[in-house]
Each structure stands twice: as structure tokens, then as C-alpha cells.
């Protein structure tokens, strides 16, 4: 039994935990890592370091943001989280009175932390502060329990530690022994928090909850408040005489591990909101321009939220399939082409992506600024700064672009991009030859004008009239009235588009057939295929005899006719 409970076996369990964490973040939620990375801009810069160190807990935040930048590579990011989780578990075990048969209890804080990180606003700063606090407890535990030396070390360490990791210092204070020392440490920690609230421009509540623990100021999920209490409770439990004197027992050992493992398997997935992370994944796929990936995801599970529908329609348009396949997916009216403005990072950023690819570069730049201002903890965004480089480059604002490029040069993962673009500044020939920037320069309107985002068809009409090669504008121009069920307006637009380019996808043919059917007329010879007319007649027959609830209409579910009449 002693061999069974050897240190090697315990280390093996810790490694198994790390492997589970790595696989979870690398293959189940890799897009969650990139979401975290894009909401900060870590700079290798003295000013950036000093800015972080001027706030309580700034060192933990600086280390956390340093690590978070590696989420840009999801494999490295998953490794980072695996190491952090293993440290939390091992250090928790180190500060507990060690009884091998209760080793499983040291996994409880990890399970709770894993569950808490299902909230995308929980920042790595909290985990880093927890690791540092547990590490300091391990160091203080090696200092003798009696004498003035231990008291002196604690009195010096608490204020310093508060400035390094923030209110997590209370965990260190409450777990000290003997109890008079713990009481003094807790009072000193609270005094530091109250004093900093008086000196610094932060509300007391925010300092009590941690400046950088959670993305929304003055908020902290309850589970994060409970984790330190659980660690303290486990320590107290294992200090109890009745527990210390229990003999090594295999059933207890196996039973505690089984309970913790089952609790983890049930609890952790429940912390991740499926709908929320679905939108985060769509945003990630749009960010990396994986249009086929967006469509494949929509095919696996039909999108039904404005943001996911908009991402799907954008991907279809970018692959020139919107006119053919739009009604293969759930549609939400023209809002499914361009979401309504909401002051949050994800929706604003996606809307900006749509404007950017349409060719409305200035509008995309405005939405980039809006997205960055919508970050609750006032961070800058690497993704937004990169987009600001692109919009200013396209507009020929090279001095402004250079300012942002110099910021990106102080990063690890955006430095190669910054160096490539820096070499293009002022080189009109190189920019015009670029497959993206040169194309968007051609699409861009020569003069700015005011417009409402609810007049998408007019915007796209201007873009298409300016450049008939703008296929995305043509697709959105014709799809907007269709999604709004405005057939007369669609017929006006389609006549103009087809007079300029060869464009007659399935949705256009179905809409034209429907328009002529409403007028009880036959379309001109050759405009529509005989097969299209035959299917239209069949749909009309079924609808006339059975109404909108006729079961046979299901075969037409992916048609314009079904959308216009049944509307489900």
C-alpha cells in the first residue's frame, strides 16, 4: 500500500491532470484561448511594466498577460494552462497537512477553478495570484513557528505581497499559524486594502475583489471567492486530530478520488455556456478568415443568433455562395447580414469585419475603435490595433499606421506582421498589388457619406455602382430585400445587377419566379430554367391545397418560396 501511495504515483496523477487540461483547451475550446489573447496588447516596454506595477496586484497581472499572449498559439496556450493548473494542485497539496490517502482533496480547488474559467471574463491574473500565494505559503511554512523572526517576516511580507498579487494576500494571511499571527496578518492585509483605496483612484470594492482578476470592474464570480475558503477549509480539515490519526485506507483513498473525479466531470462542462462559446468560435473563424470552417460549422448545427447568422452569411459571400446557399440556413431578415449595433467587443468586431470586406474601410475603422472602447477593463486589443494598421494603410495615412506598427513591433506574435507592413509604408505600388489591401482600395468609395446601418441595400448599391467587381456588395444588395420579403425592391435591384454582370444564382431565380407568379405572368423565355419553373409550379400546387402547414412543403425548406410564404 505504501508503494501504491508513493510520491511517483501522486506526481503521475498530477501529470494526468495536466494532460486532461491540455486536451480540453487545445481541442475542445481552442477558440476561447484566442478570444482571451485578442482582448489585451502585451508590450515588451518599460512603460507598460511600470503601468502595471502602479496598481495592487499589478505583478500578477503583468505575469498573467505575459502568459496570455501565448494563447495566440493555441497549443502553447493549452500548455500554459496545463502548467498553471498543475501548480495550483501541487501547491495546494504542499500547504495541506499531507496524508496520502486524502491526496484527491488537493484537486478540489483545481476543479472549481476550471469550472470558473468557463466564464470568459475570468482572467488568468486570478490563477497566477493564487499560484504565487500558495507558493509563498509554502516558503513561510519552512520558517519556524516560534520567535520574532517569523512575525517580522510576515509583517514585511504582507504589504509587499498585497502590492504584488492583490487581495489574494488574504489567503496567505488566514492560513498562517499560530492563530495570533494569522489574525495580525489578516488585519494588516485589510489595512493595506483600505489604505490603497484612500490613496489610489480605485473604488474600495474593486480593490477588495482584485483589480485584474475579472474583466468587469467591481465584479467577481462567487466561485472565485469560494476557492480560497475551500483551500483554508481543507487545511483545517486535515489538521483535525481525528483525521490525522486515521490509518491509511485504500477504500478511503479510492473513494475520495472517485468523488472528486465524478464531480469534476459533471461540474466543469456546466460552467461553459454552449451558446456563448458558439459565438466565440464563429468570431475566431471570421478573424482567421476560415470561411470554409464557418460554413462547415453552420452545416453541423444551424446558426440561429444574429451574430452566428451574420458570420455564416459573410462566409458564404466571401466564397461567392450567398446567392446559392443562403436559404440552406436559418435567416433572420436583413439583420442576419448586418447585426444591430451593440456596445460589446464581439458583435462590434464582427460588424466591423463585414464593413471591412465590403470596402467601407472608414466605417470598419470606426467600429474597430468602438470595439476597443467596449473592452470592460479598458485594455487595448492586439486584434484591433492590427485592424487599425490595415485601415490606415489602405487610406494612405502612413504616419498613423506607423504609430500602431511601432506598438506591434513590441510584441512577440505580431512583430513579423508589423515588420512586413512597415516595409510597405509609402510604397503605393506594393500596396495596390496586395491581394487584400489593393482590392479594398479599388472597392472604397471616393467620398464619405452619411448612412444608416438599416439601409444596407443603399450602401451596397453605392459600392456596386462604384465597382462592379465587388461581388460581396452585389450579393448583399440582392439578399437584403429578399430577407426583408420585399420582392418589388428586389426586382428593381436584380434588373440593374444583371445588366452589369452575369449573376443569376438559385435564390435570384426563385425570387424572380415568385415575382412573376404573384403577377400571374410567365417569365420571359430563357430567363429561368424549365426545372425551376416546374418546381415553382409544384410548390404553388402544394401550398394552394394544404396551406403553410402542408407537410409536403418541407422539401422546399431551403428555397426563397418557403422563406417568403411559410417564414419558418
Amino acid at each position: 500500500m505504501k508503494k501504491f501511495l508513493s510520491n511517483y504515483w501522486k506526481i503521475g496523477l498530477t501529470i494526468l491532470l495536466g494532460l486532461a487540461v491540455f486536451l480540453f483547451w487545445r481541442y475542445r475550446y481552442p477558440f476561447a484561448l484566442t478570444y482571451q489573447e485578442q482582448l489585451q496588447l502585451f508590450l515588451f516596454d518599460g512603460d507598460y511594466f511600470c503601468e502595471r506595477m502602479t496598481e495592487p496586484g499589478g505583478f500578477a497581472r503583468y505575469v498573467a498577460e505575459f502568459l496570455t499572449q501565448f494563447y495566440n498559439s493555441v497549443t502553447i496556450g493549452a500548455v500554459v494552462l496545463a502548467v498553471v493548473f498543475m501548480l495550483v494542485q501541487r501547491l495546494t497539496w504542499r500547504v495541506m497537512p499531507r496524508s496520502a490517502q486524502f491526496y484527491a482533496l488537493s484537486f478540489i480547488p483545481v476543479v472549481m477553478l476550471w469550472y470558473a474559467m468557463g466564464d470568459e471574463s475570468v482572467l488568468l491574473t486570478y490563477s497566477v495570484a493564487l499560484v504565487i500565494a500558495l507558493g509563498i505559503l509554502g516558503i513561510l511554512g519552512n520558517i519556524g513557528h516560534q520567535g520574532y523572526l517569523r512575525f517580522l517576516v510576515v509583517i514585511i511580507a504582507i504589504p509587499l505581497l498585497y502590492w504584488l498579487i492583490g487581495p489574494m494576500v488574504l489567503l496567505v494571511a488566514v492560513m498562517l499559524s499560530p492563530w495570533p499571527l494569522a489574525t495580525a496578518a489578516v488585519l494588516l492585509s485589510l489595512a493595506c486594502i483600505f489604505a490603497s483605496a484612500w490613496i489610489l483612484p480605485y473604488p474600495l470594492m474593486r480593490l477588495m475583489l482584485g483589480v485584474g482578476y475579472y474583466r468587469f470592474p467591481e465584479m467577481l464570480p462567487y466561485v472565485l471567492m469560494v476557492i480560497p475558503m475551500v483551500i483554508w477549509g481543507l487545511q483545517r480539515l486535515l489538521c483535525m486530530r481525528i483525521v490525522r490519526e486515521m490509518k491509511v485506507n485504500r477504500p478511503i483513498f479510492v473513494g475520495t478520488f472517485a468523488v472528486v473525479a465524478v464531480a469534476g466531470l459533471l461540474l466543469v462542462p456546466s460552467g461553459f455556456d454552449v451558446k456563448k462559446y458558439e459565438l466565440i468560435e464563429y468570431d475566431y473563424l471570421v478573424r482567421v478568415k476560415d470561411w470554409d470552417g464557418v460554413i462547415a460549422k453552420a452545416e453541423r448545427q444551424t446558426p440561429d443568433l444574429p451574430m452566428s447568422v451574420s458570420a455564416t452569411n459573410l462566409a458564404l459571400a466571401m466564397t461567392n455562395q450567398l446567392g446559392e446557399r443562403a436559404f440552406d440556413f436559418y435567416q433572420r431578415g436583413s439583420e442576419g447580414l448586418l447585426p444591430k449595433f451593440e456596445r460589446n467587443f464581439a458583435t462590434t468586431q464582427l460588424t466591423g469585419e463585414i464593413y471591412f470586406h465590403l470596402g467601407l474601410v472608414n466605417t470598419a475603422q470606426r467600429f474597430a475603435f468602438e470595439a476597443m472602447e467596449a473592452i470592460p477593463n479598458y485594455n487595448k486589443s492586439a486584434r484591433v490595433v492590427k485592424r487599425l494598421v490595415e485601415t490606415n494603410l489602405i487610406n494612405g495615412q502612413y504616419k498613423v499606421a506607423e504609430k500602431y506598427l511601432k506598438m506591434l513591433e513590441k510584441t512577440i506574435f505580431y512583430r513579423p506582421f508589423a515588420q512586413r507592413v512597415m516595409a510597405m509604408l509609402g510604397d503605393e505600388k506594393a500596396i495596390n498589388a496586395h491581394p487584400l489591401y489593393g482590392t479594398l482600395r479599388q472597392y472604397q468609395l471616393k467620398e464619405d457619406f452619411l448612412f444608416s446601418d438599416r439601409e444596407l441595400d443603399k450602401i451596397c448599391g453605392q459600392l456596386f455602382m462604384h465597382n462592379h467587381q465587388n461581388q460581396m456588395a452585389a450579393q448583399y444588395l440582392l439578399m437584403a430585400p429578399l430577407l426583408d420579403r420585399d420582392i418589388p425592391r428586389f426586382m428593381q435591384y436584380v434588373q440593374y445587377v444583371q445588366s452589369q454582370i452575369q449573376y443569376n444564382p438559385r435564390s435570384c431565380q426563385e425570387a424572380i419566379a415568385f415575382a412573376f407568379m404573384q403577377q400571374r405572368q410567365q417569365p420571359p423565355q430563357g430567363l429561368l430554367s424549365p426545372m425551376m419553373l416546374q418546381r415553382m409550379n409544384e410548390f404553388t400546387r402544394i401550398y394552394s391545397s394544404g396551406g403553410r402547414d402542408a407537410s409536403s412543403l418541407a422539401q422546399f425548406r431551403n428555397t426563397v418560396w418557403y422563406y417568403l410564404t411559410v417564414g419558418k
Side-chain angles (χ1 to χ4, degrees):
M1 185 63 184
K2 290 182 179 180
K3 185 178 180 180
F4 177 75
L5 296 176
S6 67
N7 285 331
Y8 294 109
W9 199 87
K10 287 182 287 188
I11 292 173
L13 282 176
T14 301
I15 293 174
L16 186 62
L17 165 70
L19 180 61
V21 172
F22 171 80
L23 294 175
F24 180 86
W25 291 104
R26 174 61 183 85
Y27 295 103
R28 181 65 184 91
Y29 288 106
F31 42 88
L33 300 180
T34 59
Y35 176 81
Q36 297 292 340
E37 182 273 336
Q38 71 178 349
L39 290 172
Q40 67 167 48
L41 177 62
F42 182 88
L43 302 176
F44 286 94
D45 180 79
D47 291 339
Y48 186 84
F49 175 77
C50 292
E51 179 184 345
R52 289 292 176 262
M53 293 304 296
T54 56
E55 62 188 37
F59 178 75
R61 184 177 179 185
Y62 184 83
V63 173
E65 291 179 344
F66 170 81
L67 295 174
T68 300
Q69 70 177 322
F70 292 99
Y71 289 3
N72 191 283
S73 167
V74 293
T75 300
I76 300 176
V79 170
V80 167
L81 280 176
V83 171
V84 169
F85 276 54
M86 288 191 293
L87 285 173
V88 170
Q89 184 270 320
R90 288 296 295 183
L91 291 171
T92 299
W93 173 244
R94 185 177 178 83
V95 302
M96 292 164 55
R98 280 168 267 181
S99 176
Q101 63 183 334
F102 293 109
Y103 186 64
L105 297 181
S106 64
F107 287 80
I108 293 177
V110 172
V111 170
M112 297 177 66
L113 180 61
W114 200 342
Y115 165 81
M117 290 185 73
D119 184 339
E120 77 286 355
S121 294
V122 173
L123 302 177
L124 190 62
T125 305
Y126 179 90
S127 301
V128 170
L130 181 60
V131 167
I132 295 174
L134 292 171
I136 293 296
L137 276 170
I139 295 172
L140 293 177
N142 294 325
I143 302 175
H145 288 274
Q146 304 298 328
Y148 293 105
L149 176 61
R150 183 176 175 82
F151 181 81
L152 182 62
V153 169
V154 169
I155 294 302
I156 295 174
I158 289 297
L160 176 61
L161 193 58
Y162 167 66
W163 203 260
L164 293 178
I165 66 174
M168 191 64 74
V169 70
L170 287 167
L171 173 62
V172 177
V174 77
M175 291 188 69
L176 291 172
S177 60
W179 70 264
L181 181 61
T183 302
V186 169
L187 292 176
L188 181 57
S189 299
L190 292 174
C192 290
I193 294 174
F194 281 97
S196 61
W198 183 64
I199 297 172
L200 300 174
Y202 293 107
L204 177 61
M205 183 57 67
R206 189 177 181 191
L207 293 172
M208 290 291 295
L209 299 178
V211 173
Y213 292 175
Y214 196 66
R215 185 165 285 116
F216 289 88
E218 300 186 44
M219 291 180 62
L220 195 69
Y222 291 118
V223 65
L224 295 182
M225 301 182 196
V226 171
I227 289 175
M229 301 179 194
V230 169
I231 294 174
W232 175 82
L234 291 173
Q235 185 200 44
R236 296 296 95 196
L237 173 67
L238 296 185
C239 283
M240 294 174 63
R241 183 174 180 181
I242 188 174
V243 175
R244 291 202 317 267
E245 293 179 355
M246 290 180 65
K247 294 182 179 179
V248 175
N249 188 301
R250 185 189 294 266
I252 292 177
F253 179 83
V254 175
T256 53
F257 255 110
V259 170
V260 172
V262 171
L265 291 173
L266 295 176
L267 183 65
V268 170
S270 67
F272 290 76
D273 187 317
V274 175
K275 285 292 185 183
K276 185 181 295 183
Y277 278 93
E278 177 185 324
L279 298 180
I280 290 175
E281 184 175 7
Y282 273 111
D283 178 63
Y284 165 71
L285 294 171
V286 169
R287 178 187 179 184
V288 298
K289 299 179 177 59
D290 184 2
W291 310 122
D292 292 334
V294 173
I295 296 170
K297 178 173 176 59
E299 289 173 338
R300 290 192 299 271
Q301 184 174 358
T302 300
D304 58 356
L305 297 174
M307 183 174 165
S308 55
V309 173
S310 299
T312 303
N313 286 332
L314 173 61
L316 291 172
M318 293 301 295
T319 55
N320 203 27
Q321 300 181 69
L322 185 61
E324 290 289 340
R325 301 197 57 196
F327 295 96
D328 290 348
F329 306 96
Y330 174 78
Q331 295 294 340
R332 299 180 59 94
S334 57
E335 185 183 345
L337 295 175
L338 195 68
K340 291 181 179 179
F341 176 77
E342 296 180 19
R343 192 173 177 78
N344 65 68
F345 181 87
T347 304
T348 305
Q349 191 65 33
L350 176 64
T351 306
E353 292 282 356
I354 296 171
Y355 280 122
F356 184 73
H357 291 290
L358 277 170
L360 292 168
V361 176
N362 290 342
T363 306
Q365 181 169 287
R366 177 171 64 85
F367 271 78
F369 279 116
E370 292 283 357
M372 190 145 62
E373 290 302 311
I375 299 175
N377 63 349
Y378 316 116
N379 267 0
K380 301 304 178 185
S381 165
R383 176 182 178 182
V384 169
V385 172
K386 181 181 177 182
R387 174 50 48 85
L388 292 175
V389 167
E390 294 175 324
T391 56
N392 282 285
L393 184 73
I394 294 168
N395 283 332
Q397 301 293 329
Y398 300 129
K399 288 293 183 181
V400 181
E402 183 180 13
K403 178 186 71 172
Y404 293 121
L405 287 169
K406 287 181 178 179
M407 294 172 62
L408 295 180
E409 282 186 325
K410 298 177 182 178
T411 67
I412 292 178
F413 291 95
Y414 296 91
R415 182 177 174 81
F417 164 81
Q419 291 175 334
R420 288 196 306 271
V421 177
M422 190 71 81
M424 295 173 61
L425 291 182
D427 189 343
E428 297 293 327
K429 185 176 181 180
I431 297 172
N432 291 332
H434 192 276
L436 177 61
Y437 308 145
T439 300
L440 291 179
R441 273 192 168 184
Q442 296 174 18
Y443 290 172
Q444 192 176 23
L445 298 174
K446 300 304 180 184
E447 296 181 1
D448 286 337
F449 63 97
L450 296 175
F451 62 86
S452 167
D453 58 359
R454 296 302 95 198
E455 298 177 328
L456 180 61
D457 55 339
K458 295 180 181 179
I459 303 170
C460 293
Q462 290 280 345
L463 290 167
F464 181 70
M465 287 190 292
H466 172 70
N467 191 318
H468 295 155
Q469 301 300 315
N470 192 338
Q471 294 187 352
M472 181 175 169
Q475 294 174 80
Y476 271 52
L477 172 63
L478 297 181
M479 193 55 61
L482 276 185
L483 294 179
D484 286 337
R485 296 181 172 86
D486 190 339
I487 293 299
R489 188 156 51 100
F490 164 79
M491 291 299 291
Q492 294 176 9
Y493 295 160
V494 76
Q495 292 177 25
Y496 174 75
V497 170
Q498 291 183 343
S499 69
Q500 302 298 323
I501 60 173
Q502 290 185 343
Y503 184 73
N504 197 25
R506 176 166 61 92
S507 62
C508 287
Q509 294 186 49
E510 291 173 350
I512 292 170
F514 188 87
F516 278 98
M517 183 272 295
Q518 283 185 317
Q519 300 297 323
R520 300 182 183 278
Q521 299 176 0
Q522 287 293 323
Q525 189 73 22
L527 182 61
L528 303 175
S529 68
M531 180 65 71
M532 180 64 65
L533 293 173
Q534 181 180 342
R535 280 176 55 80
M536 181 69 218
N537 291 332
E538 178 67 11
F539 175 86
T540 304
R541 183 188 64 78
I542 295 172
Y543 184 81
S544 300
S545 60
R548 59 185 296 169
D549 295 322
S551 58
S552 299
L553 284 179
Q555 62 182 302
F556 299 99
R557 188 177 294 274
N558 65 339
T559 64
V560 172
W561 313 319
Y562 190 93
Y563 177 82
L564 294 175
T565 55
V566 181
K568 296 181 181 177

